[in-house]
Amino acid sequence: MEEARRKLQNTYRLGNIIGKSTAMQNVFDAIRAASNSQANILIQGESGTGKELVAGAIHYNSVNAENPMVTVNCSALSETLLESELFGHVKGAFTGAHRDRKGRFEEADGGTIFLDEIGELTPYMQVKLLRVLQEREIERVGDSRKIKIDIRIIAATHKDLLNLVFSPLCVKRFFV
């Protein structure tokens, strides 16, 4: 396990991200600043630009480097499956839930969770994520007990979320 951790830290060290342009130097500066902070991070960029590499560099160059980094692709799962994957579930919560299961948020406790393609979350999942961001607690599917978690959230998307929030259609629905 220690060997795997060393390999991950080596893979995600800043020297493995290549670029000499001013824009890339700004990215390296942002990675260093984010690594020295415990703030939640949103990485935006086109598909294929290395958002997951940047997330790994932030985690493995931070004080949390010895703790887990758990990755979840939010666009790869349906809403109900994503909910169970992120929050876990208790035995009997749904057909096929034969035992209690920790979710990815609990697995990342003490470390970092990387939510890739966060822009694909449904409004329902956005509300559940907001609770995690605000309260640092989760509820497993089928349970009413709250579980405190100590995690850092790094999210990534190829979408322009600010533009989507303030699009004319959205503003019209919000204010009408």
Side-chain angles (χ1 to χ4, degrees):
M1 186 138 152
E2 188 58 37
E3 178 64 23
R5 188 181 330 271
R6 272 194 299 275
K7 283 183 181 179
L8 282 170
Q9 286 175 321
N10 186 45
T11 299
Y12 288 106
R13 67 186 172 88
L14 281 176
N16 285 343
I17 302 175
I18 301 169
K20 291 185 178 184
S21 69
T22 303
M24 283 307 297
Q25 295 309 310
N26 292 339
V27 170
F28 296 142
D29 290 343
I31 289 171
R32 282 185 203 92
S35 296
N36 291 326
S37 164
Q38 283 300 310
N40 296 319
I41 306 292
L42 175 64
I43 303 167
Q44 289 183 264
E46 297 298 321
S47 295
T49 56
K51 295 181 294 292
E52 187 169 356
L53 190 60
V54 168
I58 292 169
H59 172 76
Y60 288 106
N61 287 284
S62 74
V63 296
N64 289 340
E66 298 300 316
N67 296 320
M69 179 175 169
V70 176
T71 300
V72 180
N73 185 330
C74 297
S75 67
L77 304 169
S78 68
E79 178 181 83
T80 53
L81 193 52
L82 182 62
E83 181 180 21
S84 178
E85 191 69 22
L86 289 175
F87 298 96
H89 61 261
V90 294
K91 180 179 178 180
F94 50 83
T95 304
H98 300 295
R99 62 179 175 81
D100 289 359
R101 183 181 167 280
K102 281 183 174 184
R104 298 295 184 99
F105 283 121
E106 281 183 88
E107 289 174 2
D109 195 30
T112 302
I113 188 163
F114 174 56
L115 301 175
D116 199 7
E117 297 302 342
I118 195 80
E120 303 300 323
L121 289 184
T122 63
Y124 171 75
M125 289 302 296
Q126 290 175 31
V127 169
K128 293 206 61 144
L129 180 59
L130 180 60
R131 178 135 188 107
V132 174
L133 289 167
Q134 290 177 333
E135 306 299 328
R136 292 294 193 238
E137 62 186 24
I138 61 159
E139 288 181 21
R140 290 182 180 170
V141 176
D143 199 0
S144 58
R145 187 175 50 95
K146 293 175 179 27
I147 301 169
K148 284 287 190 188
I149 53 173
D150 174 25
I151 58 168
R152 177 186 204 177
I153 299 171
I154 300 177
T157 182
H158 68 280
K159 294 185 175 184
D160 182 352
L161 298 183
L162 188 61
N163 200 24
L164 289 172
V165 168
F166 292 108
S167 71
L169 181 59
C170 180
V171 172
K172 183 179 177 186
R173 272 190 260 148
F174 184 73
F175 289 107
V176 171

